[in-house]
Amino acid sequence: MYGPFVELKFFLRVIELGSVRAVARESGVEPSSVSRRMTGLEGRLGTKLLERAHAKTRPTEAGRRFYDRIRVLLAQIDAVEAEIGGETETPRGLLRVNTTIDFGQIHASGWLLEFKRLHPPVDVELTLSARNIDLVAEGVDVAIRIGRQPDSALMSRSLAGVPRVLVAAPSYLKQRGLPVRPSDLSDHEHIFFLPETKYQPLRLTGPDGNTHDVHRRGGVTINAIMPVVEAVRQGFGIHLGPRWAFQQALQAGDVVEVLPDYTSPAMPMMAVWAPAVYVPARIRAFIDFAAQKVRSIPGLETRR
């Protein structure tokens, strides 16, 4: 079942399943056999990889670093063996996905469960973060990212455009007045997603094609979009955010568009993954799956 690199593959499964006994049951061998393999691996490397406490086994700091690197290498070896051997391309193995906190909670978590139901041999793991992570260092197979990405060696596939909308609560506008031109925004409170955006001008394009840079002030910064939606609802200021996140609030009338004739460029939504000689079937299948799922999200721009 495990073929070559048996010690390394046992080690990966000990980390993923959390115990030597679980790996032994999965592999149909005695726990002592798995333990001997782990002891031999630690002896060969000259460092402790696992902390064994009762029935639970956890990686040391060195063990976690070793896991993150070996997992990527073995996945590539398995994929190449499958390709060269002409095996049927059935998605299988552990699929690790990363995305933003709110998009993950609202959309991607459900996608992963549905993907698991469609592909039972695949184990799925979703991590959420406010900022981009190092895919290779964190052992992530594919990330769904929103926003322009810095130049990198990562592979990518465009999934959708993310239009942005300038919004405020009717109660806030009643109290502070309705902006009628971009320069009016400088006199208003603003809500920010990231601290650094407070010091960046807001660039809007008018119906005549001219651009306007607006310097803003603000008292609220929250790096999760759904709490930002709530802050806008409660009248704490104006925010430029993704239309998909404000879709329900706009339909309910809890927030309204500000300066609707002025636009800000849509942000790209992309699937990104580390370049490889051969991309495993589970990764390619999930990217195709995600490209289909984004089409059902109101407020996104997708190709039909």
Side-chain angles (χ1 to χ4, degrees), residues 83-119:
E83 180 192 24
I84 298 301
E87 295 180 11
T88 302
E89 289 249 330
T90 301
R92 55 168 46 89
L94 177 61
L95 174 70
R96 282 182 159 178
V97 177
N98 174 266
T99 191
T100 59
I101 295 169
D102 296 284
F103 192 82
Q105 290 176 332
I106 297 170
H107 296 293
S109 57
W111 295 358
L112 263 291
L113 296 177
E114 185 177 344
F115 188 78
K116 168 67 176 174
R117 186 172 288 113
L118 291 172
H119 304 284

Side-chain angles (χ1 to χ4, degrees), residues 98-211:
N98 174 266
T99 191
T100 59
I101 295 169
D102 296 284
F103 192 82
Q105 290 176 332
I106 297 170
H107 296 293
S109 57
W111 295 358
L112 263 291
L113 296 177
E114 185 177 344
F115 188 78
K116 168 67 176 174
R117 186 172 288 113
L118 291 172
H119 304 284
V122 177
D123 292 333
V124 297
E125 181 177 304
L126 177 66
T127 58
L128 308 177
S129 53
R131 297 179 183 269
N132 293 344
I133 64 170
D134 185 325
L135 268 61
V136 176
E138 298 292 333
V140 169
D141 293 308
V142 58
I144 298 173
R145 292 181 174 172
I146 299 172
R148 289 174 178 79
Q149 304 299 312
D151 292 337
S152 73
L154 295 177
M155 306 297 293
S156 66
R157 174 175 170 180
S158 175
L159 299 178
V162 184
R164 293 183 289 174
V165 60
L166 203 62
V167 291
S171 60
Y172 171 85
L173 297 174
K174 183 178 180 180
Q175 179 185 14
R176 298 293 300 271
L178 179 68
V180 295
R181 60 185 66 85
S183 59
D184 294 342
L185 295 171
S186 295
D187 298 324
H188 283 264
E189 296 293 321
H190 291 265
I191 301 168
F192 299 91
F193 183 74
L194 294 173
E196 55 264 32
T197 57
K198 285 191 285 188
Y199 310 105
Q200 299 169 358
L202 171 63
R203 174 161 291 185
L204 299 173
T205 302
D208 57 3
N210 292 328
T211 59

Side-chain angles (χ1 to χ4, degrees), residues 21 57 136 140 147 205 221-222 266:
R21 288 188 177 276
T57 303
V136 176
V140 169
T205 302
T221 302
I222 310 173

Side-chain angles (χ1 to χ4, degrees), residues 31-71:
S32 59
S33 176
V34 179
S35 291
R36 282 196 301 272
R37 295 280 190 176
M38 297 304 93
T39 300
L41 179 60
E42 290 176 326
R44 182 158 55 85
L45 296 176
T47 188
K48 190 173 181 61
L49 300 174
L50 300 169
E51 294 286 358
R52 300 169 178 85
H54 304 295
K56 200 70 176 172
T57 303
R58 294 183 175 86
T60 62
E61 182 179 347
R64 173 55 64 181
R65 294 199 309 270
F66 189 63
Y67 172 85
D68 289 339
R69 286 157 177 76
I70 289 299
R71 177 186 165 275

